[in-house]
Amino acid sequence: MHRTKVRVVEEALDANNTIAAANRADFDRAGVTVVNFMSAPGAGKTTLLERVVASLPGVRVGVLEGDVQGSMDADRLASLHVPVTQINTGAGFGGECHLDANMVRSAIPSLPLQDIDLLIVENVGNLVCPAEFRIGEDVRVMVSAVTEGVDKPLKYPLMYRACELVIVNKIDLLPHLDVDLDHLLYNIDQVHPDVERIVTSATTGEGIEAWRDWLIRIASREEALAAG
Amino acid sequence: MHRTKVRVVEEALDANNTIAAANRADFDRAGVTVVNFMSAPGAGKTTLLERVVASLPGVRVGVLEGDVQGSMDADRLASLHVPVTQINTGAGFGGECHLDANMVRSAIPSLPLQDIDLLIVENVGNLVCPAEFRIGEDVRVMVSAVTEGVDKPLKYPLMYRACELVIVNKIDLLPHLDVDLDHLLYNIDQVHPDVERIVTSATTGEGIEAWRDWLIRIASREEALAAG
């Protein structure tokens, strides 16, 4: 029983990787850098995007929103006049807990790839499965809110390891929490030594400039790589 | 492609329900009430258990801990001298994002069912899949932390609908958040009208007495049902 189940999962991941490669080829051809943006529910992904998507000099941004159901986050971002496309994962059974490459593939015809340089894919809020499914992205970023406690890197290590950048958010709440920021950063280092990190508060604006600069740098880096 | 995938999932859920029924029969035979305890990562499940498990008059508690990897929560609870059993879901691929009936079944021989009245199963932190997989429980409870924002019931409705009790936790942080408690409670009512709820702060102790009373009541209710 268990062995059969694992085999099915591995086949699903193989098929996913094949489709992710096709997505990646389409994005490369269009010259679009793709960020897979992940976190637990309510860590602040949408707010962190609201703070930067309309103010990236020289970088035209589009957003692909993944949610089990609804379009609340897409509506928030569309009000900033950036192109937003919604994927709902709720069809099928109770709702998929992650985006996979085929869901993203189905959205590609709806994406204005010729009009953007950077596509940010806001994944379903979940610290487990989104890290397991490539979608054709160039880079993975996660948000780790200090309100979730210091132990999350040790409990969900794959997510922290899969990402090139960890944003430690909600630091304005630290004075009111029994959470030691250094301990959280230490635990991040335990599972992904020297991973780049930015400490932010979407409320006070601390770290937002660094987050904006990071996105601009990633868009230029991928452009330089594409130019060879 | 999509149709095939859905069929596989439905078969998996059918098999899960069959095994969940077998678990339930074993728990009933032992006279043990089972709570499936769920939330997003870092909502405060373990802390809410720490506050009550050693102080339920007349109810002997055991805990089954589900984590992708590690045993940090189990160690915290074991220090309170309640029997704790750990399931890690990390085998297979990158880690299962939920407990299923077969994982719980594999743990039953390790559970001291003759020595407990109430088994609390702390599920993997995730607002999607744990709600889809019955494990043989009598009742489902979720924790919704106010730090996650007011929109979570609308984005993850199945979890809120699947539960008999919603604990709204971390209310001590409300003065520091742009979160309206009434709006969150209203959104909970939108997806699960009149579901029972307890508003708590594991930090200040507010609502903990109500949470303790609820667990005692559930244990007695199931005992009365079993007595016919």
Side-chain angles (χ1 to χ4, degrees):
Chain A
M1 179 77 192
H2 186 63
R3 196 175 298 181
T4 306
K5 188 174 174 198
V6 171
R7 205 185 60 226
V8 170
V9 167
E10 284 173 354
E11 280 169 10
L13 285 178
D14 282 347
N16 187 75
N17 284 339
T18 303
I19 302 169
N23 292 350
R24 181 65 183 274
D26 286 355
F27 294 137
D28 282 349
R29 205 172 300 120
V32 174
T33 301
V34 179
V35 175
N36 188 354
F37 197 37
M38 303 178 283
S39 79
K45 289 190 300 304
T46 311
T47 309
L48 284 166
L49 291 183
E50 284 179 319
R51 295 288 180 272
V52 299
V53 289
S55 57
L56 291 175
V59 181
R60 299 167 301 166
V61 183
V63 176
L64 180 58
E65 273 294 332
D67 285 301
V68 176
Q69 88 173 45
S71 63
M72 281 172 295
D73 293 347
D75 297 343
R76 283 168 63 185
L77 292 165
S79 73
L80 301 172
H81 308 291
V82 294
V84 180
T85 306
Q86 177 80 51
I87 295 179
N88 283 127
T89 71
F93 66 137
E96 289 285 349
C97 62
H98 59 275
L99 293 178
D100 67 22
N102 203 41
M103 295 178 207
V104 171
R105 186 135 202 89
S106 71
I108 288 182
S110 311
L111 295 171
L113 293 183
Q114 300 312 318
D115 304 322
I116 61 175
D117 308 300
L118 179 67
L119 177 69
I120 303 179
V121 183
E122 186 175 344
N123 217 311
V124 179
N126 180 354
L127 284 186
V128 187
C129 302
E132 294 162 4
F133 289 82
R134 305 296 168 97
I135 56 174
E137 70 275 55
D138 294 282
V139 57
R140 287 179 292 282
V141 177
M142 74 164 293
V143 184
S144 184
V146 296
T147 42
E148 296 161 6
V150 301
D151 57 351
K152 295 303 161 293
L154 308 178
K155 294 178 72 175
Y156 304 92
L158 183 69
M159 174 61 77
Y160 287 80
R161 278 188 201 122
C163 288
E164 195 172 318
L165 171 69
V166 178
I167 298 180
V168 176
N169 193 30
K170 304 199 186 185
I171 58 162
D172 55 290
L173 294 174
L174 280 170
H176 315 293
L177 301 173
D178 184 21
V179 166
D180 177 23
L181 179 61
D182 286 337
H183 191 179
L184 174 57
L185 296 173
Y186 174 85
N187 283 345
I188 293 172
D189 261 329
Q190 292 302 300
V191 300
H192 192 166
D194 299 325
V195 62
E196 197 169 355
R197 71 209 58 188
I198 300 175
V199 174
T200 60
S201 163
T203 303
T204 68
E206 186 169 345
I208 297 301
E209 197 59 39
W211 164 224
R212 192 180 284 125
D213 290 347
W214 190 90
L215 285 170
I216 294 170
R217 203 164 71 242
I218 283 294
S220 327
R221 181 187 80 179
E222 297 300 325
E223 205 179 342
L225 285 175
Chain B
M1 180 78 193
H2 186 63
R3 196 174 302 181
T4 305
K5 189 175 174 197
V6 171
R7 204 184 60 227
V8 169
V9 167
E10 285 173 353
E11 281 169 8
L13 284 178
D14 282 349
N16 187 74
N17 284 340
T18 302
I19 301 169
N23 292 350
R24 181 65 182 275
D26 286 355
F27 294 136
D28 282 349
R29 204 172 301 120
V32 174
T33 301
V34 179
V35 175
N36 187 355
F37 195 38
M38 303 178 283
S39 77
K45 289 190 300 303
T46 311
T47 308
L48 284 165
L49 290 183
E50 283 181 319
R51 295 287 179 272
V52 299
V53 289
S55 57
L56 291 176
V59 181
R60 299 167 302 165
V61 183
V63 177
L64 179 58
E65 274 292 332
D67 284 301
V68 176
Q69 87 173 44
S71 63
M72 280 172 296
D73 293 346
D75 297 342
R76 283 168 63 185
L77 292 165
S79 73
L80 300 172
H81 308 290
V82 295
V84 180
T85 306
Q86 177 79 52
I87 295 179
N88 283 128
T89 70
F93 65 136
E96 290 285 349
C97 61
H98 58 275
L99 292 177
D100 66 22
N102 203 42
M103 295 179 206
V104 170
R105 186 134 202 90
S106 71
I108 287 181
S110 311
L111 296 172
L113 293 182
Q114 300 313 317
D115 304 323
I116 61 175
D117 308 300
L118 178 68
L119 176 69
I120 303 179
V121 182
E122 186 176 342
N123 217 310
V124 179
N126 180 354
L127 284 186
V128 186
C129 302
E132 294 161 4
F133 288 83
R134 304 294 170 98
I135 56 174
E137 71 274 55
D138 293 282
V139 57
R140 287 180 291 282
V141 178
M142 74 164 294
V143 184
S144 184
V146 295
T147 43
E148 296 160 7
V150 300
D151 57 351
K152 295 304 161 294
L154 308 179
K155 293 178 73 174
Y156 303 92
L158 183 69
M159 174 61 76
Y160 287 79
R161 276 188 203 122
C163 288
E164 194 171 318
L165 171 68
V166 178
I167 299 180
V168 177
N169 194 30
K170 304 197 185 186
I171 58 161
D172 54 290
L173 295 174
L174 281 171
H176 315 294
L177 301 173
D178 184 21
V179 166
D180 176 23
L181 179 60
D182 286 337
H183 191 179
L184 174 57
L185 295 173
Y186 174 85
N187 283 345
I188 293 171
D189 261 329
Q190 293 302 300
V191 299
H192 192 165
D194 299 323
V195 62
E196 196 168 356
R197 72 211 55 191
I198 300 175
V199 175
T200 60
S201 163
T203 304
T204 68
E206 186 169 345
I208 297 300
E209 198 59 38
W211 164 224
R212 191 180 284 124
D213 290 346
W214 189 90
L215 285 170
I216 294 169
R217 202 163 71 242
I218 282 295
S220 328
R221 181 186 79 180
E222 297 300 326
E223 204 178 341
L225 284 175

